[in-house]
Structure formats: C-alpha cells, structure tokens
Amino acid sequence: MAMKAGAMLGNMREAWWMPVAEIPGDEASTGRQLVSTQRGLPHTIMVNSKGRRFTNEAANYNAFGGLFHEIDVANFRYANLPCWMIFDSTYVRKYGFGGRRYSTPGDVADWVQRAPDLPGLAKLLGIPTRSLANTVTRWNANVAA
C-alpha cells in the first residue's frame, strides 16, 4: 500500500531488536522479560536448538537481534529460534536473574528451567546432549585460556 503511494522503502528490514525471555503463565504483564545486560555477564552462554553457541553474548542489542533472523534454509526455519541462555549457580549467586537477587541458586523463579547437570538440562530443553556438552566444554576452555 505504501509503495503504491510512492513511499521509499529502503532499510525496512531494520529495527531496534531486543531479545526477550518468554515467561509462562505471566498474566500480570506481557509474558516477556527483556534479556539485555544479563546475557553478557560472566558464567552464561547462549545456545540454539542444536546446542551450539551462535553469538557473542555481550554483542550490542541490534547486532544480537539480527541473529534471530538468520534462516536455516535446509529446514525452512530460523536457525537461532528458539535459543536458551544457560547459566550456572555462580551466576545466580553473583547477579541473580530477571532483576531479582537470590540467596541460593535453587531460588530462581519457577519458570526458569533447571537440572542438576548438563545432560539433564539438554534432555529437558530438547537439545542434543553431545552438542551442548561439546559447546560448554569448548566455552569453558576458552574462558580459562
């Protein structure tokens, strides 16, 4: 409609992208929470449904948001949706999550999925166990180096 009226449509695919977490059963708000600074803090890694890290977690919000539009042409879907921000107990003790501080790691909000180990988390999220384990092992080695 705008083109028919003579509008210039350059750069129409650009926007200010902001990653969000879906909060199941959140009737009091939009059911979404911005995931901005928390994703770039130490002790966290973001992985896609293949269990692979796909970004620098501390990337600016616009570059980060653009990664969600990457297409997996073999499967006709977005390559990095859904994704998960995975963090450990040290992260929770130091930073909390979702704007709240917690005294113990098990204290995080009920909607945050958790498991006692990586294979359990992979199974819970439906992520390939070996791929997630390889990703986290490589990530930890790079962090240590």
Side-chain angles (χ1 to χ4, degrees):
M1 185 170 65
M3 285 173 48
K4 285 183 182 180
M8 301 289 286
L9 299 181
N11 298 321
M12 289 298 288
R13 65 179 295 270
E14 298 302 322
W16 286 11
W17 309 112
M18 293 298 284
V20 297
E22 291 184 31
I23 304 173
D26 183 359
E27 307 299 327
S29 68
T30 64
R32 308 276 189 283
Q33 179 174 332
L34 288 177
V35 179
S36 185
T37 56
Q38 350 26 349
R39 66 183 159 81
L41 295 170
H43 302 277
T44 185
I45 185 172
M46 303 235 11
V47 299
N48 61 21
S49 60
K50 293 180 179 177
R52 295 186 183 132
R53 180 175 183 243
F54 62 93
T55 185
N56 172 356
E57 293 78 9
N60 72 64
Y61 66 89
N62 197 45
F64 188 82
L67 294 166
F68 296 116
H69 295 105
E70 186 177 307
I71 301 292
D72 176 353
V73 294
N75 295 304
F76 302 103
R77 63 182 197 90
Y78 291 108
N80 299 314
L81 286 175
C83 71
W84 294 268
M85 184 176 118
I86 298 175
F87 48 88
D88 63 11
S89 58
T90 302
Y91 178 93
V92 175
R93 277 193 303 277
K94 283 184 169 185
Y95 312 112
F97 183 73
R100 289 180 51 198
R101 293 281 182 183
Y102 298 96
S103 57
T104 60
D107 231 6
V108 294
D110 290 341
W111 62 269
V112 175
Q113 301 211 23
R114 54 182 78 61
D117 54 28
L118 231 66
L121 186 62
K123 184 176 180 180
L124 181 68
L125 300 176
I127 296 173
T129 303
R130 180 172 288 163
S131 179
L132 180 61
N134 290 343
T135 295
V136 171
T137 298
R138 183 171 186 254
W139 170 250
N140 286 337
N142 286 338
V143 168

